[in-house]
mmCIF file of all heavy atoms in Angstrom:
data_model
loop_
_atom_site.group_PDB
_atom_site.id
_atom_site.type_symbol
_atom_site.label_atom_id
_atom_site.label_comp_id
_atom_site.label_asym_id
_atom_site.label_seq_id
_atom_site.Cartn_x
_atom_site.Cartn_y
_atom_site.Cartn_z
ATOM 1 N N VAL A 6 13.299 -15.086 9.160
ATOM 2 C CA VAL A 6 12.866 -15.457 10.502
ATOM 3 C C VAL A 6 11.919 -16.649 10.397
ATOM 4 O O VAL A 6 11.226 -16.805 9.383
ATOM 5 C CB VAL A 6 12.175 -14.262 11.204
ATOM 6 C CG1 VAL A 6 10.911 -13.844 10.470
ATOM 7 C CG2 VAL A 6 11.894 -14.560 12.664
ATOM 8 N N GLN A 7 11.901 -17.465 11.413
ATOM 9 C CA GLN A 7 10.986 -18.602 11.427
ATOM 10 C C GLN A 7 9.576 -18.150 11.796
ATOM 11 O O GLN A 7 9.387 -17.122 12.475
ATOM 12 C CB GLN A 7 11.467 -19.646 12.434
ATOM 13 C CG GLN A 7 12.702 -20.398 11.989
ATOM 14 C CD GLN A 7 13.032 -21.570 12.911
ATOM 15 O OE1 GLN A 7 12.707 -21.553 14.094
ATOM 16 N NE2 GLN A 7 13.669 -22.592 12.359
ATOM 17 N N ALA A 8 8.615 -18.921 11.352
ATOM 18 C CA ALA A 8 7.228 -18.627 11.708
ATOM 19 C C ALA A 8 7.097 -18.547 13.226
ATOM 20 O O ALA A 8 7.675 -19.357 13.952
ATOM 21 C CB ALA A 8 6.311 -19.706 11.144
ATOM 22 N N GLY A 9 6.351 -17.555 13.671
ATOM 23 C CA GLY A 9 6.195 -17.309 15.090
ATOM 24 C C GLY A 9 7.185 -16.310 15.656
ATOM 25 O O GLY A 9 7.031 -15.870 16.795
ATOM 26 N N GLY A 10 8.180 -15.976 14.869
ATOM 27 C CA GLY A 10 9.197 -15.039 15.308
ATOM 28 C C GLY A 10 8.768 -13.592 15.165
ATOM 29 O O GLY A 10 7.636 -13.283 14.786
ATOM 30 N N SER A 11 9.713 -12.711 15.475
ATOM 31 C CA SER A 11 9.440 -11.269 15.463
ATOM 32 C C SER A 11 10.530 -10.521 14.709
ATOM 33 O O SER A 11 11.677 -10.972 14.644
ATOM 34 C CB SER A 11 9.373 -10.730 16.896
ATOM 35 O OG SER A 11 8.328 -11.323 17.629
ATOM 36 N N LEU A 12 10.151 -9.387 14.178
ATOM 37 C CA LEU A 12 11.093 -8.457 13.565
ATOM 38 C C LEU A 12 10.632 -7.041 13.863
ATOM 39 O O LEU A 12 9.430 -6.787 14.003
ATOM 40 C CB LEU A 12 11.151 -8.648 12.043
ATOM 41 C CG LEU A 12 11.911 -9.835 11.478
ATOM 42 C CD1 LEU A 12 11.727 -9.912 9.973
ATOM 43 C CD2 LEU A 12 13.393 -9.770 11.822
ATOM 44 N N ARG A 13 11.584 -6.143 13.921
ATOM 45 C CA ARG A 13 11.265 -4.727 14.065
ATOM 46 C C ARG A 13 11.881 -3.981 12.893
ATOM 47 O O ARG A 13 13.105 -3.929 12.761
ATOM 48 C CB ARG A 13 11.823 -4.170 15.368
ATOM 49 C CG ARG A 13 11.342 -2.746 15.680
ATOM 50 C CD ARG A 13 12.172 -2.117 16.762
ATOM 51 N NE ARG A 13 11.548 -0.935 17.317
ATOM 52 C CZ ARG A 13 12.223 0.008 17.994
ATOM 53 N NH1 ARG A 13 13.523 -0.121 18.176
ATOM 54 N NH2 ARG A 13 11.580 1.061 18.487
ATOM 55 N N LEU A 14 11.035 -3.443 12.056
ATOM 56 C CA LEU A 14 11.485 -2.661 10.921
ATOM 57 C C LEU A 14 11.610 -1.194 11.322
ATOM 58 O O LEU A 14 10.828 -0.691 12.126
ATOM 59 C CB LEU A 14 10.507 -2.786 9.755
ATOM 60 C CG LEU A 14 10.153 -4.205 9.308
ATOM 61 C CD1 LEU A 14 9.258 -4.141 8.076
ATOM 62 C CD2 LEU A 14 11.380 -5.033 9.041
ATOM 63 N N SER A 15 12.595 -0.545 10.728
ATOM 64 C CA SER A 15 12.787 0.885 10.955
ATOM 65 C C SER A 15 12.828 1.595 9.613
ATOM 66 O O SER A 15 13.238 1.020 8.603
ATOM 67 C CB SER A 15 14.092 1.147 11.699
ATOM 68 O OG SER A 15 14.106 0.522 12.964
ATOM 69 N N CYS A 16 12.435 2.840 9.628
ATOM 70 C CA CYS A 16 12.496 3.670 8.421
ATOM 71 C C CYS A 16 12.946 5.054 8.856
ATOM 72 O O CYS A 16 12.252 5.721 9.631
ATOM 73 C CB CYS A 16 11.140 3.718 7.748
ATOM 74 S SG CYS A 16 11.005 4.941 6.413
ATOM 75 N N VAL A 17 14.103 5.462 8.353
ATOM 76 C CA VAL A 17 14.658 6.767 8.697
ATOM 77 C C VAL A 17 14.481 7.714 7.519
ATOM 78 O O VAL A 17 14.839 7.382 6.386
ATOM 79 C CB VAL A 17 16.142 6.653 9.055
ATOM 80 C CG1 VAL A 17 16.707 8.021 9.403
ATOM 81 C CG2 VAL A 17 16.331 5.687 10.225
ATOM 82 N N ALA A 18 13.935 8.880 7.809
ATOM 83 C CA ALA A 18 13.713 9.887 6.780
ATOM 84 C C ALA A 18 14.793 10.958 6.835
ATOM 85 O O ALA A 18 15.212 11.384 7.910
ATOM 86 C CB ALA A 18 12.349 10.541 6.965
ATOM 87 N N SER A 19 15.234 11.391 5.665
ATOM 88 C CA SER A 19 16.187 12.485 5.586
ATOM 89 C C SER A 19 15.887 13.307 4.340
ATOM 90 O O SER A 19 15.385 12.790 3.348
ATOM 91 C CB SER A 19 17.625 11.968 5.567
ATOM 92 O OG SER A 19 17.834 11.137 4.442
ATOM 93 N N GLY A 20 16.194 14.598 4.418
ATOM 94 C CA GLY A 20 16.008 15.462 3.262
ATOM 95 C C GLY A 20 14.569 15.852 2.985
ATOM 96 O O GLY A 20 14.282 16.435 1.929
ATOM 97 N N LEU A 21 13.666 15.536 3.883
ATOM 98 C CA LEU A 21 12.272 15.919 3.698
ATOM 99 C C LEU A 21 11.621 16.090 5.063
ATOM 100 O O LEU A 21 12.046 15.461 6.037
ATOM 101 C CB LEU A 21 11.505 14.873 2.878
ATOM 102 C CG LEU A 21 11.086 13.553 3.539
ATOM 103 C CD1 LEU A 21 10.107 12.824 2.627
ATOM 104 C CD2 LEU A 21 12.252 12.675 3.850
ATOM 105 N N PRO A 22 10.597 16.928 5.125
ATOM 106 C CA PRO A 22 9.900 17.096 6.406
ATOM 107 C C PRO A 22 9.279 15.779 6.852
ATOM 108 O O PRO A 22 8.777 15.007 6.038
ATOM 109 C CB PRO A 22 8.819 18.133 6.078
ATOM 110 C CG PRO A 22 9.339 18.862 4.903
ATOM 111 C CD PRO A 22 10.089 17.840 4.096
ATOM 112 N N PHE A 23 9.346 15.538 8.148
ATOM 113 C CA PHE A 23 8.868 14.245 8.657
ATOM 114 C C PHE A 23 7.829 14.416 9.747
ATOM 115 O O PHE A 23 6.774 13.798 9.702
ATOM 116 C CB PHE A 23 10.077 13.457 9.196
ATOM 117 C CG PHE A 23 9.706 12.147 9.841
ATOM 118 C CD1 PHE A 23 9.537 11.017 9.070
ATOM 119 C CD2 PHE A 23 9.551 12.050 11.224
ATOM 120 C CE1 PHE A 23 9.199 9.795 9.647
ATOM 121 C CE2 PHE A 23 9.223 10.841 11.821
ATOM 122 C CZ PHE A 23 9.038 9.708 11.028
ATOM 123 N N SER A 24 8.121 15.223 10.743
ATOM 124 C CA SER A 24 7.319 15.224 11.961
ATOM 125 C C SER A 24 5.885 15.707 11.756
ATOM 126 O O SER A 24 5.031 15.439 12.599
ATOM 127 C CB SER A 24 8.003 16.068 13.041
ATOM 128 O OG SER A 24 8.132 17.413 12.614
ATOM 129 N N SER A 25 5.595 16.396 10.664
ATOM 130 C CA SER A 25 4.241 16.905 10.427
ATOM 131 C C SER A 25 3.443 16.038 9.459
ATOM 132 O O SER A 25 2.360 16.443 9.005
ATOM 133 C CB SER A 25 4.305 18.332 9.864
ATOM 134 O OG SER A 25 4.922 19.213 10.772
ATOM 135 N N TYR A 26 3.966 14.859 9.162
ATOM 136 C CA TYR A 26 3.333 14.010 8.154
ATOM 137 C C TYR A 26 3.062 12.616 8.686
ATOM 138 O O TYR A 26 3.906 12.029 9.380
ATOM 139 C CB TYR A 26 4.216 13.893 6.921
ATOM 140 C CG TYR A 26 4.331 15.179 6.135
ATOM 141 C CD1 TYR A 26 5.213 16.168 6.534
ATOM 142 C CD2 TYR A 26 3.542 15.401 5.013
ATOM 143 C CE1 TYR A 26 5.306 17.361 5.822
ATOM 144 C CE2 TYR A 26 3.635 16.581 4.297
ATOM 145 C CZ TYR A 26 4.515 17.561 4.712
ATOM 146 O OH TYR A 26 4.597 18.725 4.007
ATOM 147 N N ALA A 27 1.877 12.102 8.328
ATOM 148 C CA ALA A 27 1.587 10.701 8.627
ATOM 149 C C ALA A 27 2.538 9.810 7.835
ATOM 150 O O ALA A 27 3.051 10.203 6.790
ATOM 151 C CB ALA A 27 0.137 10.379 8.268
ATOM 152 N N MET A 28 2.769 8.626 8.358
ATOM 153 C CA MET A 28 3.649 7.659 7.721
ATOM 154 C C MET A 28 2.944 6.312 7.608
ATOM 155 O O MET A 28 2.110 5.964 8.447
ATOM 156 C CB MET A 28 4.933 7.495 8.523
ATOM 157 C CG MET A 28 5.796 8.731 8.605
ATOM 158 S SD MET A 28 6.503 9.209 7.018
ATOM 159 C CE MET A 28 7.577 7.803 6.673
ATOM 160 N N GLY A 29 3.311 5.568 6.596
ATOM 161 C CA GLY A 29 2.692 4.271 6.399
ATOM 162 C C GLY A 29 3.702 3.196 6.053
ATOM 163 O O GLY A 29 4.818 3.497 5.622
ATOM 164 N N TRP A 30 3.297 1.966 6.290
ATOM 165 C CA TRP A 30 4.047 0.796 5.864
ATOM 166 C C TRP A 30 3.163 0.007 4.888
ATOM 167 O O TRP A 30 1.977 -0.215 5.149
ATOM 168 C CB TRP A 30 4.406 -0.097 7.048
ATOM 169 C CG TRP A 30 5.523 0.400 7.899
ATOM 170 C CD1 TRP A 30 5.423 1.115 9.057
ATOM 171 C CD2 TRP A 30 6.933 0.212 7.668
ATOM 172 N NE1 TRP A 30 6.675 1.389 9.564
ATOM 173 C CE2 TRP A 30 7.619 0.849 8.738
ATOM 174 C CE3 TRP A 30 7.681 -0.425 6.680
ATOM 175 C CZ2 TRP A 30 9.014 0.863 8.834
ATOM 176 C CZ3 TRP A 30 9.063 -0.409 6.779
ATOM 177 C CH2 TRP A 30 9.716 0.229 7.838
ATOM 178 N N PHE A 31 3.788 -0.406 3.805
ATOM 179 C CA PHE A 31 3.129 -1.239 2.811
ATOM 180 C C PHE A 31 4.025 -2.438 2.532
ATOM 181 O O PHE A 31 5.201 -2.449 2.908
ATOM 182 C CB PHE A 31 2.904 -0.451 1.517
ATOM 183 C CG PHE A 31 1.893 0.671 1.657
ATOM 184 C CD1 PHE A 31 2.245 1.859 2.273
ATOM 185 C CD2 PHE A 31 0.613 0.535 1.181
ATOM 186 C CE1 PHE A 31 1.328 2.893 2.417
ATOM 187 C CE2 PHE A 31 -0.316 1.552 1.311
ATOM 188 C CZ PHE A 31 0.049 2.735 1.945
ATOM 189 N N ARG A 32 3.487 -3.441 1.871
ATOM 190 C CA ARG A 32 4.296 -4.596 1.511
ATOM 191 C C ARG A 32 3.863 -5.137 0.164
ATOM 192 O O ARG A 32 2.721 -4.935 -0.258
ATOM 193 C CB ARG A 32 4.206 -5.684 2.578
ATOM 194 C CG ARG A 32 2.840 -6.350 2.696
ATOM 195 C CD ARG A 32 2.827 -7.307 3.880
ATOM 196 N NE ARG A 32 1.541 -8.000 4.001
ATOM 197 C CZ ARG A 32 1.227 -8.804 5.013
ATOM 198 N NH1 ARG A 32 2.113 -9.015 6.003
ATOM 199 N NH2 ARG A 32 0.053 -9.383 5.048
ATOM 200 N N GLN A 33 4.799 -5.808 -0.474
ATOM 201 C CA GLN A 33 4.517 -6.422 -1.766
ATOM 202 C C GLN A 33 5.168 -7.790 -1.828
ATOM 203 O O GLN A 33 6.393 -7.903 -1.722
ATOM 204 C CB GLN A 33 5.001 -5.555 -2.922
ATOM 205 C CG GLN A 33 4.567 -6.056 -4.281
ATOM 206 C CD GLN A 33 4.776 -5.033 -5.365
ATOM 207 O OE1 GLN A 33 5.540 -4.086 -5.221
ATOM 208 N NE2 GLN A 33 4.074 -5.209 -6.485
ATOM 209 N N ALA A 34 4.339 -8.796 -1.972
ATOM 210 C CA ALA A 34 4.819 -10.167 -2.112
ATOM 211 C C ALA A 34 5.001 -10.478 -3.598
ATOM 212 O O ALA A 34 4.374 -9.838 -4.450
ATOM 213 C CB ALA A 34 3.825 -11.128 -1.482
ATOM 214 N N PRO A 35 5.823 -11.459 -3.920
ATOM 215 C CA PRO A 35 6.049 -11.813 -5.323
ATOM 216 C C PRO A 35 4.743 -12.151 -6.029
ATOM 217 O O PRO A 35 3.933 -12.920 -5.529
ATOM 218 C CB PRO A 35 6.954 -13.047 -5.226
ATOM 219 C CG PRO A 35 7.661 -12.890 -3.928
ATOM 220 C CD PRO A 35 6.665 -12.251 -3.001
ATOM 221 N N GLY A 36 4.530 -11.518 -7.174
ATOM 222 C CA GLY A 36 3.345 -11.785 -7.961
ATOM 223 C C GLY A 36 2.079 -11.134 -7.457
ATOM 224 O O GLY A 36 0.999 -11.386 -7.996
ATOM 225 N N LYS A 37 2.202 -10.318 -6.426
ATOM 226 C CA LYS A 37 1.024 -9.665 -5.854
ATOM 227 C C LYS A 37 1.188 -8.152 -5.888
ATOM 228 O O LYS A 37 2.292 -7.629 -6.013
ATOM 229 C CB LYS A 37 0.798 -10.132 -4.414
ATOM 230 C CG LYS A 37 0.454 -11.608 -4.297
ATOM 231 C CD LYS A 37 0.075 -11.959 -2.878
ATOM 232 C CE LYS A 37 -0.344 -13.423 -2.774
ATOM 233 N NZ LYS A 37 -0.743 -13.777 -1.380
ATOM 234 N N GLU A 38 0.079 -7.465 -5.750
ATOM 235 C CA GLU A 38 0.120 -6.009 -5.718
ATOM 236 C C GLU A 38 0.557 -5.528 -4.333
ATOM 237 O O GLU A 38 0.419 -6.240 -3.340
ATOM 238 C CB GLU A 38 -1.260 -5.439 -6.062
ATOM 239 C CG GLU A 38 -1.692 -5.707 -7.484
ATOM 240 C CD GLU A 38 -2.914 -4.910 -7.886
ATOM 241 O OE1 GLU A 38 -3.498 -4.237 -7.017
ATOM 242 O OE2 GLU A 38 -3.278 -4.969 -9.072
ATOM 243 N N ARG A 39 1.060 -4.319 -4.316
ATOM 244 C CA ARG A 39 1.443 -3.713 -3.045
ATOM 245 C C ARG A 39 0.200 -3.525 -2.190
ATOM 246 O O ARG A 39 -0.851 -3.099 -2.683
ATOM 247 C CB ARG A 39 2.123 -2.373 -3.302
ATOM 248 C CG ARG A 39 2.742 -1.739 -2.083
ATOM 249 C CD ARG A 39 3.546 -0.507 -2.456
ATOM 250 N NE ARG A 39 4.669 -0.835 -3.330
ATOM 251 C CZ ARG A 39 5.591 0.048 -3.698
ATOM 252 N NH1 ARG A 39 5.502 1.307 -3.277
ATOM 253 N NH2 ARG A 39 6.571 -0.310 -4.490
ATOM 254 N N GLU A 40 0.318 -3.833 -0.905
ATOM 255 C CA GLU A 40 -0.828 -3.713 -0.012
ATOM 256 C C GLU A 40 -0.461 -2.957 1.255
ATOM 257 O O GLU A 40 0.682 -2.957 1.707
ATOM 258 C CB GLU A 40 -1.380 -5.094 0.356
ATOM 259 C CG GLU A 40 -0.441 -5.964 1.150
ATOM 260 C CD GLU A 40 -1.079 -7.279 1.589
ATOM 261 O OE1 GLU A 40 -2.240 -7.541 1.233
ATOM 262 O OE2 GLU A 40 -0.418 -8.048 2.310
ATOM 263 N N PHE A 41 -1.459 -2.348 1.808
ATOM 264 C CA PHE A 41 -1.316 -1.587 3.048
ATOM 265 C C PHE A 41 -1.065 -2.518 4.224
ATOM 266 O O PHE A 41 -1.666 -3.588 4.326
ATOM 267 C CB PHE A 41 -2.587 -0.776 3.272
ATOM 268 C CG PHE A 41 -2.694 -0.125 4.621
ATOM 269 C CD1 PHE A 41 -1.928 0.989 4.921
ATOM 270 C CD2 PHE A 41 -3.556 -0.623 5.581
ATOM 271 C CE1 PHE A 41 -2.021 1.600 6.160
ATOM 272 C CE2 PHE A 41 -3.660 -0.022 6.821
ATOM 273 C CZ PHE A 41 -2.894 1.093 7.115
ATOM 274 N N VAL A 42 -0.194 -2.082 5.121
ATOM 275 C CA VAL A 42 0.079 -2.832 6.346
ATOM 276 C C VAL A 42 -0.346 -2.027 7.573
ATOM 277 O O VAL A 42 -1.150 -2.479 8.391
ATOM 278 C CB VAL A 42 1.567 -3.201 6.470
ATOM 279 C CG1 VAL A 42 1.826 -3.930 7.793
ATOM 280 C CG2 VAL A 42 2.014 -4.049 5.288
ATOM 281 N N ALA A 43 0.199 -0.822 7.709
ATOM 282 C CA ALA A 43 -0.094 -0.009 8.887
ATOM 283 C C ALA A 43 0.246 1.443 8.586
ATOM 284 O O ALA A 43 1.034 1.735 7.687
ATOM 285 C CB ALA A 43 0.705 -0.496 10.087
ATOM 286 N N ALA A 44 -0.358 2.347 9.362
ATOM 287 C CA ALA A 44 -0.057 3.763 9.210
ATOM 288 C C ALA A 44 -0.238 4.459 10.539
ATOM 289 O O ALA A 44 -0.952 3.965 11.435
ATOM 290 C CB ALA A 44 -0.949 4.395 8.146
ATOM 291 N N ILE A 45 0.413 5.602 10.661
ATOM 292 C CA ILE A 45 0.372 6.355 11.908
ATOM 293 C C ILE A 45 0.279 7.839 11.582
ATOM 294 O O ILE A 45 0.909 8.322 10.639
ATOM 295 C CB ILE A 45 1.620 6.045 12.768
ATOM 296 C CG1 ILE A 45 1.526 6.681 14.152
ATOM 297 C CG2 ILE A 45 2.907 6.438 12.050
ATOM 298 C CD1 ILE A 45 2.583 6.145 15.123
ATOM 299 N N SER A 46 -0.523 8.566 12.346
ATOM 300 C CA SER A 46 -0.679 9.996 12.118
ATOM 301 C C SER A 46 0.605 10.735 12.469
ATOM 302 O O SER A 46 1.525 10.186 13.076
ATOM 303 C CB SER A 46 -1.842 10.525 12.956
ATOM 304 O OG SER A 46 -1.573 10.340 14.347
ATOM 305 N N TRP A 47 0.653 12.007 12.117
ATOM 306 C CA TRP A 47 1.891 12.758 12.263
ATOM 307 C C TRP A 47 2.347 12.861 13.719
ATOM 308 O O TRP A 47 3.546 12.910 13.993
ATOM 309 C CB TRP A 47 1.724 14.156 11.666
ATOM 310 C CG TRP A 47 0.704 15.018 12.364
ATOM 311 C CD1 TRP A 47 -0.631 15.083 12.097
ATOM 312 C CD2 TRP A 47 0.937 15.937 13.434
ATOM 313 N NE1 TRP A 47 -1.238 15.978 12.935
ATOM 314 C CE2 TRP A 47 -0.306 16.521 13.763
ATOM 315 C CE3 TRP A 47 2.074 16.324 14.141
ATOM 316 C CZ2 TRP A 47 -0.433 17.469 14.776
ATOM 317 C CZ3 TRP A 47 1.944 17.275 15.147
ATOM 318 C CH2 TRP A 47 0.693 17.833 15.452
ATOM 319 N N ASN A 48 1.388 12.872 14.641
ATOM 320 C CA ASN A 48 1.759 13.002 16.050
ATOM 321 C C ASN A 48 1.662 11.669 16.804
ATOM 322 O O ASN A 48 1.794 11.643 18.025
ATOM 323 C CB ASN A 48 0.888 14.041 16.739
ATOM 324 C CG ASN A 48 -0.582 13.667 16.710
ATOM 325 O OD1 ASN A 48 -0.974 12.656 16.135
ATOM 326 N ND2 ASN A 48 -1.408 14.485 17.351
ATOM 327 N N GLY A 49 1.399 10.601 16.071
ATOM 328 C CA GLY A 49 1.310 9.290 16.694
ATOM 329 C C GLY A 49 0.002 9.018 17.390
ATOM 330 O O GLY A 49 -0.171 7.953 17.989
ATOM 331 N N GLY A 50 -0.926 9.951 17.319
ATOM 332 C CA GLY A 50 -2.174 9.807 18.044
ATOM 333 C C GLY A 50 -3.147 8.820 17.446
ATOM 334 O O GLY A 50 -4.037 8.304 18.125
ATOM 335 N N ARG A 51 -2.996 8.550 16.166
ATOM 336 C CA ARG A 51 -3.892 7.614 15.491
ATOM 337 C C ARG A 51 -3.079 6.597 14.709
ATOM 338 O O ARG A 51 -2.069 6.938 14.106
ATOM 339 C CB ARG A 51 -4.829 8.350 14.534
ATOM 340 C CG ARG A 51 -5.802 9.297 15.215
ATOM 341 C CD ARG A 51 -6.763 9.882 14.207
ATOM 342 N NE ARG A 51 -7.666 10.863 14.807
ATOM 343 C CZ ARG A 51 -8.623 11.492 14.148
ATOM 344 N NH1 ARG A 51 -8.826 11.233 12.868
ATOM 345 N NH2 ARG A 51 -9.391 12.367 14.759
#
């Protein structure tokens, strides 16, 4: 995508409990360590 653009990432869980667990997004750029991006509580409240 070009700078200024948008993307929507999705993550589908299967084979494990999902709704009672917080979820997070992380990212790793070339040559860098994995870093935190965002997280959400199990019920979406936080």
Side-chain angles (χ1 to χ4, degrees):
V6 63
Q7 288 189 332
S11 298
L12 284 174
R13 189 194 195 200
L14 307 184
S15 299
C16 170
V17 180
S19 61
L21 76 168
F23 176 85
S24 61
S25 299
Y26 291 81
M28 296 293 295
W30 284 96
F31 292 77
R32 68 186 182 186
Q33 188 167 19
K37 295 187 177 181
E38 294 192 354
R39 188 173 297 186
E40 64 175 3
F41 170 74
V42 177
I45 187 167
S46 62
W47 64 272
N48 61 357
R51 295 185 184 182

